[in-house]
Amino acid sequence: MLLLQAVLLLLVLPSPGEVTTTEETLPKEGCAGWMAGIPGHPGHNGTPGRDGRDGTPGEKGEKGDPGLVGPKGDAGETGVPGVEGPRGFPGIPGRKGEPGESSYVYRSAFSVGLETRVTVPNVPIRFTKIFYNQQNHYDGSTGKFHCNIPGLYYFSYHITVYLKDVKVSLYKKDKAVLFTYDQYQDKNLDQASGSVLLYLEKGDQVWLQVYGDGDHNGLYADNVNDSTFTGFLLYHDTN
């Protein structure tokens, strides 16, 4: 079939010696039996064109949904302290609390006086005038204070001196711990005193006693002059 088409094509074409003019050439449309040529192969793709210009920005879209919460960031550095603010108004006082349980109060005290002149030396002086002895820790029959609560005690004495010199000592557990001496002035009343802090254990005894012979026993008391002996607990031993 291809060979036949080639032969027909050669017959139609003019020979090299023939002169042809445009007027004599018959139009292709008028040539009976004319046939189209073989279709050619598709051409290669051209090179891509340049990018076009940026388009005009579109209208702003609607707000999207919130995204997921991200992880907590690291703590930042501590800032500089700010300026102290003004002082606030006083708050409303709170309600009064409930009364607490009362603690036990340790008491031990006495204060006694001399009723008659003492004449016997080297024995406890019996102060029989009782000013205070509520706990009965002082024994008027012996003149001795008996410790029932261990702790620190304060003792003092004030004596009137008349007719003779006085030498008085304060005893604790059969041992003199404090001494007082007063020299009598003729035709006059004199005063002597002493005080001391002592730690006592339960069962200890404290008393006053004239020491020496009878020449130093000038303790005196009457209805206008007193000789007194006093002691009391400062604080008890917590051990």
Side-chain angles (χ1 to χ4, degrees):
M1 184 68 182
L2 293 175
L3 180 60
L4 179 58
Q5 291 179 352
V7 172
L8 292 176
L9 181 60
L10 291 175
L11 291 177
V12 173
L13 293 176
S15 61
E18 294 179 352
V19 177
T20 60
T21 61
T22 305
E23 290 81 0
E24 294 178 351
T25 304
L26 296 176
K28 293 181 180 180
E29 290 81 0
C31 181
W34 182 87
M35 298 180 65
I38 301 171
H41 297 286
H44 298 287
N45 295 330
T47 56
R50 294 180 299 172
D51 293 338
R53 297 179 181 178
D54 295 336
T56 304
E59 297 180 359
K60 185 177 180 180
E62 297 180 359
K63 185 177 180 180
D65 297 330
L68 299 176
V69 179
K72 184 178 180 181
D74 297 333
E77 296 181 359
T78 304
V80 179
V83 180
E84 182 177 356
R87 184 175 181 179
F89 295 103
I92 300 174
R95 294 184 303 172
K96 185 177 180 180
E98 298 293 333
E101 296 182 1
S102 59
S103 60
Y104 180 77
V105 179
Y106 294 87
R107 293 185 176 92
S108 179
F110 72 95
S111 183
V112 293
L114 192 66
E115 290 186 300
T116 59
R117 180 182 175 186
V118 177
T119 59
V120 181
N122 300 316
V123 295
I125 302 172
R126 293 176 60 243
F127 293 87
T128 55
K129 182 187 292 186
I130 306 300
F131 300 113
Y132 180 86
N133 191 28
Q134 186 173 356
Q135 294 81 34
N136 293 317
H137 293 168
Y138 171 79
D139 186 357
S141 63
T142 63
K144 295 183 178 181
F145 168 77
H146 297 264
C147 176
N148 289 267
I149 303 172
L152 184 65
Y153 286 79
Y154 174 79
F155 294 96
S156 66
Y157 52 87
H158 176 84
I159 56 179
T160 300
V161 182
Y162 183 58
L163 298 178
K164 293 183 180 181
D165 297 344
V166 167
K167 290 183 179 180
V168 174
S169 58
L170 185 141
Y171 277 76
K172 171 190 172 183
K173 296 172 52 177
D174 297 324
K175 181 179 180 181
V177 295
L178 185 66
F179 300 90
T180 299
Y181 172 72
D182 184 83
Q183 189 174 17
Y184 171 68
Q185 303 296 324
D186 191 23
K187 298 181 181 180
N188 193 12
L189 287 175
D190 205 355
Q191 307 290 331
S193 62
S195 61
V196 67
L197 287 173
L198 293 176
Y199 176 81
L200 301 181
E201 296 180 353
K202 187 174 182 179
D204 288 347
Q205 297 176 348
V206 177
W207 67 91
L208 281 178
Q209 179 173 305
V210 174
Y211 66 95
D213 53 33
D215 293 336
H216 298 91
N217 190 17
L219 267 74
Y220 181 79
D222 57 22
N223 58 344
V224 294
N225 296 283
D226 285 306
S227 293
T228 61
F229 181 34
T230 299
F232 54 87
L233 173 68
L234 286 178
Y235 58 84
H236 72 281
D237 192 348
T238 58
N239 295 330

